[in-house]
Amino acid sequence: MTSPNGLQQDDPLFTSNEFLLTQLELQHSEVKITPNDQPRSRTARENAALVAKMVGWRKRFLYTPEKGKLYPDKKPNDPPLFAITDLPPSRDDIEILYNVSNGFYFASTNGEKAMHKLAPSMNEYFRILHSLNYFSSYAKLKAFCYRRLYLLGYRFRMYKMLNKELEKGLQKEVSHRDFYNVRKVDTHVHAASAMNKMLLLDFIRLKLMSDQDRTVFVDRRGEKYTLPDIFTCMGYSPYEMGLDALEIESDCHTTLRFNSMDNNFNTNNESILRKVFLKTDNFIEGAYFADMIKMVMRRLESEKYQHSEMSLTIFGSNINEWDRLARWFVKHKVASRNVRWVIQIPRLYAHYKATGVVENFEQYLANIFEPLFQVSRDPSSHPYLHWFLQHVVAFDTVDDESKPERQFFKKFSPPRNWTSHRDPPFSYYVYFLYSNLYMLNGLRNDCGMNTIALRPHAGESGGMEHLTSTYLTCHGIVHGINLKNNPVLQYLFYLGQIPIAMSPVSNNRNSIEYKDNPFPTFFSNGLNVTLSTDDPLKHHFTEEPLMEEFSIAGQYWKLSSTDLCEIARNSCLNSGFDHESKVSWLGEQYTNQNAIEANEVRKTNVPDVRILFRESLLQTEKQLLMSLSHEVDIRNLLQFGMKKRHVLYETSIDLNLLLDRISQQEEKEIPRVGSVGSNLSKLGEESETMIRNPLSEEEDIIAQLSDIEEDGESNMTTTDEDDIEFYASEEYNEENDEIERRRTLSNASTQ
């Protein structure tokens, strides 16, 4: 036998590795050894089209305000900030109205039409949410997204291996900058836990010595207590009080036990110390809490390069809560150029309903949003609140996500009709926070005021619908560790570069161990992740909890200096600080669409090659989706299951109207889904008759989709659009509204 090169079979070179490689190259010229291959199969094109559709859904829902100044003329801690003078003029031409069916407020200038675009309706939200949940569990789509994420992580690991010395050399060229003096923002920290344990203990001892005669607490019987009286009742003297006696450190008993977490700092099972020292609304009007927060602020200011977004609570139990919180803020001058504020809203409707505080969910929403619309229209109506809102950058919603809840695809009443003693599901809470913030931001933007983002707790526990609802409506999320269980949602979060504030130290105590935390995987895959502290009082030991968080993550996951600086840069970009602050931290071009021009290495200490690599991978993925989805019409994909069974639908069926008719036993005939020409019996006689849904079984639809062939039956068409935005366009969505509405009708009826 003679080789192509003329060598004989017994030639020593015939069996050499070089010759074998040459033979393999000749025989398998299509073998690829790099991850740059682009899948071209029909299944891949269909999956890309579905991903493009879901990207379009988010763009359809998300509110994106114009970039503006948080402080137009004053620096954050100027004394005039707290003098209630020079308020903006009232907009008397604006009237605040309430949309009963969709449960949100809106501003109008003529008594009927809204000033700006309305938020998507509740029916549209739940219809798209159902589709998003369905497709995020679609097996072939999960496999497609898993492969894309795996390749992203592989490329990043290869990049680090090949460019480690290059990045180190580029960082050395900026001799005055290192990880310690780049800006970092703690985007998730509860104000009541913002201090460390020793600071709290020292503060308590200080007040025991200086305020011995001050009344700090009054019980239900009207009996007054000083601090020495409180500690005497608990059986401690001021000099015997220690960290163990405070009982504030979380331990193994708090893992997956959120009720145990909430009971921390209940010395001797009493919450009296928490009420005295960590509340804004108490007998001493939150004076001690304000003093401790200002101590934390002074420490941040002295460190210069660390900033924080602290969370304060609005419960929604009383319409005057906002005024009380704003008065505390202004009276005690709790402001700093290093701190902004996030408002967290606990999901406690069921508790307030059971105690008679609210009558329905509409009243709960009114307690939260009505003062905000009033002060945005007329700042003089709530002057303290107007100044406080200048420092508020985001809303959050918190509670135990692991609580069982009604599934999102059930029929939901408008807020006025939600009088049940049960809590609505997470997706219901999120929609009404989102829709009211959507309309509020439109009003504040028109009035030249700062807007407010929505960044809720999601994905620490609970179901996937928590993450799907936040993907549609929110600017970012907190925790998000459950994204590791769903590659579709993880890939969507990557494509949207949705901020995720993760707290590995807190999660290690409460939900997931460090070795199982997905933070390093998310970071390698290119997700927009940052490190935050969550509860320094419970979980951290040093005076710089954010640096402690970075230090542990860097040591445990072997993060390089460039990695840490990139995470710090992400925290600045994701924060709600004003434009001027970000310019001083990141450079004047930080909003530039060109990745290299947007990065100023002398300020961020992130080499341009790292930024270019991240941006090139993101654009490559988007171009891949564009090229694949360009060749397939997703409308046929969505309708295929219906066409195979020749399903006949009635046009313009409204889900809520149909279910109301069933409950009221109205007599009306509609076509039976699943057989042409057959009709349901009168709904008045058979109110429990369910419409058969041909798309309800996942195996059925997967089998049908896999049967699509390239010839005439699938009717796949090549579009003329050059951008993935086609699947997010209004025209495209309108054409599919009827299909999705029918599908939602069938699924809900089957349930």
Side-chain angles (χ1 to χ4, degrees):
M1 177 179 177
T2 303
S3 72
N5 295 330
L7 297 175
Q8 299 297 322
Q9 186 173 7
D10 56 350
D11 194 308
L13 293 178
F14 189 86
T15 56
S16 67
N17 290 336
E18 181 178 357
F19 180 78
L20 291 176
L21 289 174
T22 303
Q23 289 291 90
L24 287 173
E25 290 176 0
L26 292 174
Q27 296 176 15
H28 305 284
S29 58
E30 296 182 358
V31 173
K32 295 180 174 60
I33 60 174
T34 65
N36 293 324
D37 57 311
Q38 294 188 3
R40 308 300 299 176
S41 66
R42 179 165 298 277
T43 300
R45 283 179 280 162
E46 294 164 0
N47 291 331
L50 287 174
V51 173
K53 177 69 173 177
M54 291 186 278
V55 170
W57 285 337
R58 173 171 169 80
K59 292 182 179 179
R60 187 176 182 178
F61 273 77
L62 193 63
Y63 178 83
T64 53
E66 299 178 3
K67 292 186 179 296
K69 298 181 179 180
L70 183 59
Y71 299 97
D73 303 313
K74 303 180 180 65
K75 294 183 178 180
N77 58 350
D78 281 346
L81 181 65
F82 299 102
I84 310 304
T85 59
D86 300 328
L87 292 172
S90 172
R91 293 290 301 273
D92 296 331
D93 58 318
I94 296 177
E95 183 180 3
I96 305 300
L97 304 176
Y98 180 74
N99 186 312
V100 176
S101 60
N102 290 305
F104 57 72
Y105 293 86
F106 66 94
S108 173
T109 54
N110 59 8
E112 296 180 1
K113 188 176 180 180
M115 291 176 56
H116 45 82
K117 182 181 177 181
L118 291 176
S121 67
M122 180 174 64
N123 288 340
E124 180 183 8
Y125 164 76
F126 280 108
R127 172 165 49 86
I128 293 180
L129 183 62
H130 175 77
S131 299
L132 184 60
N133 261 294
Y134 176 80
F135 286 119
S136 66
S137 301
Y138 177 37
K140 291 187 178 181
L141 185 59
K142 291 171 71 174
F144 173 82
C145 294
Y146 174 81
R147 182 174 183 272
R148 302 312 307 168
L149 291 168
Y150 182 84
L151 289 177
L152 287 170
Y154 172 82
R155 288 167 174 161
F156 179 73
R157 291 188 293 272
M158 178 174 288
Y159 163 84
K160 287 190 66 176
M161 181 175 61
L162 298 176
N163 297 278
K164 178 180 178 181
E165 296 302 324
L166 174 61
E167 289 185 340
K168 188 180 297 184
L170 291 173
Q171 285 186 318
K172 288 180 180 179
E173 293 179 3
V174 188
S175 57
H176 71 288
R177 189 70 67 183
D178 54 40
F179 168 69
Y180 288 94
N181 57 16
V182 296
R183 302 284 179 167
K184 315 165 194 68
V185 181
D186 190 350
T187 55
H188 170 222
V189 53
H190 300 282
S193 298
M195 67 293 297
N196 61 62
K197 303 175 183 62
M198 282 307 303
L199 188 150
L200 176 62
L201 182 59
D202 292 343
F203 184 83
I204 291 175
R205 288 171 174 169
L206 175 65
K207 293 303 177 182
L208 277 169
M209 297 174 61
S210 61
D211 291 356
Q212 293 186 4
D213 299 328
R214 182 178 185 179
T215 301
V216 297
F217 182 74
V218 178
D219 62 15
R220 296 178 180 178
R221 298 170 297 179
E223 187 174 350
K224 298 180 179 181
Y225 293 85
T226 62
L227 281 178
D229 295 337
I230 292 174
F231 281 94
T232 300
C233 294
M234 292 191 301
Y236 292 102
S237 68
Y239 304 100
E240 294 175 348
M241 177 60 64
L243 291 178
D244 294 335
L246 291 179
E247 300 179 9
I248 55 178
E249 182 180 352
S250 59
D251 52 25
C252 60
H253 299 291
T254 62
T255 303
L256 298 178
R257 287 290 305 277
F258 292 89
N259 58 329
S260 298
M261 279 174 48
D262 294 337
N263 290 331
N264 281 352
F265 198 33
N266 284 354
T267 307
N268 287 353
N269 295 322
E270 295 289 341
S271 62
I272 185 170
L273 286 183
R274 183 149 50 95
K275 294 177 181 178
V276 172
F277 288 97
L278 300 179
K279 296 292 184 180
T280 62
D281 187 15
N282 52 24
F283 185 78
I284 56 176
E285 298 181 343
Y288 288 168
F289 184 44
D291 289 343
M292 277 193 292
I293 292 296
K294 286 189 283 187
M295 292 173 65
V296 175
M297 288 178 173
R298 286 195 293 270
R299 185 165 293 170
L300 290 174
E301 292 168 357
S302 65
E303 293 162 358
K304 184 181 178 180
Y305 296 103
Q306 295 185 35
H307 306 261
S308 181
E309 293 181 341
M310 300 185 187
S311 299
L312 294 171
T313 304
I314 289 292
F315 292 94
S317 60
N318 191 290
I319 202 169
N320 296 319
E321 276 186 277
W322 280 106
D323 288 327
R324 292 197 295 264
L325 182 61
R327 184 175 294 276
W328 169 84
F329 175 82
V330 176
K331 176 181 178 181
H332 298 288
K333 295 181 171 57
V334 190
S336 169
R337 61 166 52 93
N338 288 62
V339 176
R340 295 294 181 269
W341 298 92
V342 175
I343 300 300
Q344 62 181 20
I345 301 173
R347 299 189 293 276
L348 296 176
Y349 162 79
H351 171 72
Y352 298 139
K353 173 65 178 178
T355 55
V357 175
V358 298
E359 296 180 359
N360 51 35
F361 198 79
E362 181 181 300
Q363 185 179 352
Y364 172 80
L365 291 174
N367 292 340
I368 298 171
F369 286 103
E370 190 171 314
L372 301 182
F373 278 89
Q374 291 175 355
V375 72
S376 300
R377 172 186 174 272
D378 181 12
S380 62
S381 62
H382 304 270
Y384 291 110
L385 180 57
H386 169 74
W387 290 110
F388 173 56
L389 288 179
Q390 304 302 308
H391 298 260
V392 175
V393 297
F395 269 33
D396 184 6
T397 175
V398 296
D399 199 10
D400 181 3
E401 286 189 74
S402 62
K403 289 180 179 178
E405 60 184 24
R406 293 180 61 189
Q407 294 299 313
F408 74 93
F409 49 77
K410 300 286 186 180
K411 177 191 174 185
F412 289 129
S413 303
R416 179 169 295 180
N417 298 335
W418 190 283
T419 57
S420 170
H421 286 74
R422 298 178 60 181
D423 251 328
F426 179 89
S427 55
Y428 192 86
Y429 272 101
V430 166
Y431 171 74
F432 290 109
L433 291 178
Y434 153 78
S435 60
N436 281 281
L437 270 181
Y438 190 102
M439 306 308 296
L440 177 66
N441 283 333
L443 172 61
R444 294 182 64 82
N445 192 50
D446 290 341
C447 297
M449 302 176 183
N450 63 299
T451 55
I452 302 171
L454 180 57
R455 305 200 304 249
H457 280 60
E460 188 176 14
S461 57
M464 282 299 119
E465 64 271 13
H466 293 200
L467 291 169
T468 53
S469 57
T470 53
Y471 168 76
L472 278 181
T473 58
C474 301
H475 299 88
I477 63 171
V478 175
H479 295 302
I481 55 181
N482 279 347
L483 281 173
K484 69 174 186 175
N485 300 324
N486 193 303
V488 177
L489 289 174
Q490 188 182 151
Y491 190 54
L492 291 173
F493 269 72
Y494 166 72
L495 292 173
Q497 287 295 288
I498 302 173
I500 307 173
M502 304 188 71
S503 307
V505 173
S506 172
N507 296 146
N508 184 62
R509 290 283 193 176
N510 302 328
S511 55
I512 185 171
E513 293 184 7
Y514 234 95
K515 63 182 179 64
D516 299 322
N517 196 290
F519 178 85
T521 303
F522 290 174
F523 180 71
S524 298
N525 293 348
L527 274 71
N528 188 2
V529 293
T530 61
L531 289 171
S532 57
T533 58
D534 194 0
D535 291 300
L537 180 63
K538 300 177 184 178
H539 309 304
H540 297 79
F541 294 89
T542 66
E543 294 182 355
E544 298 183 36
L546 185 58
M547 291 298 293
E548 184 179 344
E549 196 84 40
F550 272 92
S551 175
I552 296 175
Q555 291 292 333
Y556 191 86
W557 291 314
K558 299 178 176 60
L559 301 177
S560 66
S561 175
T562 304
D563 296 337
L564 296 176
C565 291
E566 183 185 1
I567 297 170
R569 179 178 182 267
N570 288 345
S571 70
C572 295
L573 290 171
N574 299 343
S575 70
F577 279 79
D578 54 285
H579 176 68
E580 284 71 18
S581 296
K582 292 184 179 181
V583 167
S584 65
W585 302 344
L586 306 173
E588 295 182 356
Q589 299 295 322
Y590 80 95
T591 58
N592 197 308
Q593 296 298 319
N594 187 306
I596 299 299
E597 295 181 2
N599 180 57
E600 189 170 335
V601 65
R602 294 182 61 85
K603 291 181 177 292
T604 64
N605 202 37
V606 182
D608 287 340
V609 291
R610 172 64 68 90
I611 301 297
L612 180 61
F613 171 78
R614 291 290 198 188
E615 184 65 19
S616 64
L617 280 191
L618 179 60
Q619 295 305 322
T620 299
E621 290 299 312
K622 290 182 177 180
Q623 291 172 8
L624 173 66
L625 291 177
M626 181 182 67
S627 62
L628 293 178
S629 60
H630 179 74
E631 303 171 7
V632 63
D633 189 346
I634 195 175
R635 287 173 288 189
N636 292 343
L637 186 63
L638 295 174
Q639 299 179 57
F640 184 74
M642 305 177 194
K643 289 182 177 179
K644 291 288 286 186
R645 294 174 179 246
H646 308 287
V647 178
L648 177 65
Y649 282 93
E650 181 184 9
T651 60
S652 303
I653 297 179
D654 182 79
L655 174 62
N656 284 335
L657 178 60
L658 178 61
L659 293 177
D660 289 341
R661 289 175 180 176
I662 293 176
S663 63
Q664 297 171 7
Q665 299 186 351
E666 293 182 358
E667 297 183 359
K668 187 175 181 63
E669 295 183 0
I670 62 174
R672 178 185 295 274
V673 177
S675 59
V676 180
S678 61
N679 297 322
L680 290 175
S681 59
K682 293 183 179 181
L683 295 177
E685 299 174 359
E686 300 182 15
S687 60
E688 296 182 356
T689 300
M690 307 304 291
I691 302 176
R692 183 176 180 273
N693 175 23
L695 302 181
S696 61
E697 298 179 345
E698 181 176 350
E699 298 80 11
D700 190 16
I701 186 63
I702 292 175
Q704 294 177 28
L705 291 176
S706 63
D707 290 337
I708 297 179
E709 300 178 355
E710 290 194 43
D711 51 23
E713 185 179 19
S714 65
N715 294 325
M716 296 296 182
T717 60
T718 301
T719 65
D720 295 328
E721 300 293 330
D722 293 327
D723 196 275
I724 196 174
E725 301 295 334
F726 168 71
Y727 297 103
S729 64
E730 291 295 331
E731 178 183 357
Y732 181 84
N733 284 294
E734 289 174 1
E735 292 175 355
N736 286 278
D737 277 350
E738 186 62 32
I739 299 168
E740 295 176 2
R741 184 159 45 247
R742 294 166 181 168
R743 182 174 175 277
T744 304
L745 166 65
S746 301
N747 287 338
S749 301
T750 302
Q751 296 296 334

